[in-house]
Amino acid sequence: MRPIARGIAALATALALAACSGGGTTTTQAPAGGTQAPAGTTAASAPCTDSTGTTVVAVGVANMEWQQPINAKVGDVITWTNGDTVPHKVALDDGSCAMSDNIPGGGSKSLVFSVAGTFPFHCSVHPSMRGTITISS
């Protein structure tokens, strides 16, 4: 019975190693509609980036809630001002874009979008804080 148990253990080990190996190629496909970049995109293809430009759309965050709705146009600088004492950070739900730094309590941070679309987002510090950004052409 011992040789059978050793054989089964060896087979299980071989299968586990084969399943964990990175021999295949993984591709990421853009969602239907193509308005949002998939997770893992480069900064050049991300739908938004940090900005220090002049604010076009001002958004508040207070009492652990994002001001809604957030509507802007491609190229508009959207600035979030944190009315809470705790930090917040905007991150798109699909992982394609996030602020590079937290918005400190009483501080502000901005993003600018390069493509139109509807972008669900959350606070990466407080994931239960959710909202939607709508960008038009």
Side-chain angles (χ1 to χ4, degrees):
M1 190 85 127
R2 266 189 142 60
I4 292 174
R6 274 190 238 137
I8 291 172
L11 180 61
T13 302
L15 288 173
L17 289 173
C20 293
S21 72
T25 302
T26 304
T27 58
T28 304
Q29 186 174 354
T35 60
Q36 290 182 318
T41 57
T42 63
S45 65
C48 66
T49 58
D50 288 309
S51 178
T52 57
T54 303
T55 299
V56 176
V57 176
V59 180
V61 55
N63 301 314
M64 303 292 286
E65 291 184 1
W66 303 110
Q67 176 186 336
Q68 292 287 301
I70 302 171
N71 297 305
K73 293 181 181 178
V74 170
D76 286 354
V77 176
I78 306 170
T79 301
W80 283 263
T81 300
N82 185 356
D84 290 331
T85 57
V86 297
H88 298 295
K89 185 175 181 180
V90 173
L92 297 187
D93 287 355
D94 69 1
S96 63
C97 179
M99 290 178 166
S100 60
D101 296 311
N102 290 343
I103 311 167
S108 297
K109 295 284 181 188
S110 302
L111 292 174
V112 62
F113 282 76
S114 58
V115 295
T118 300
F119 301 91
F121 73 99
H122 62 279
C123 174
S124 61
V125 180
H126 310 99
S128 63
M129 293 177 60
R130 300 190 150 300
T132 302
I133 304 164
T134 303
I135 305 295
S136 60
S137 311

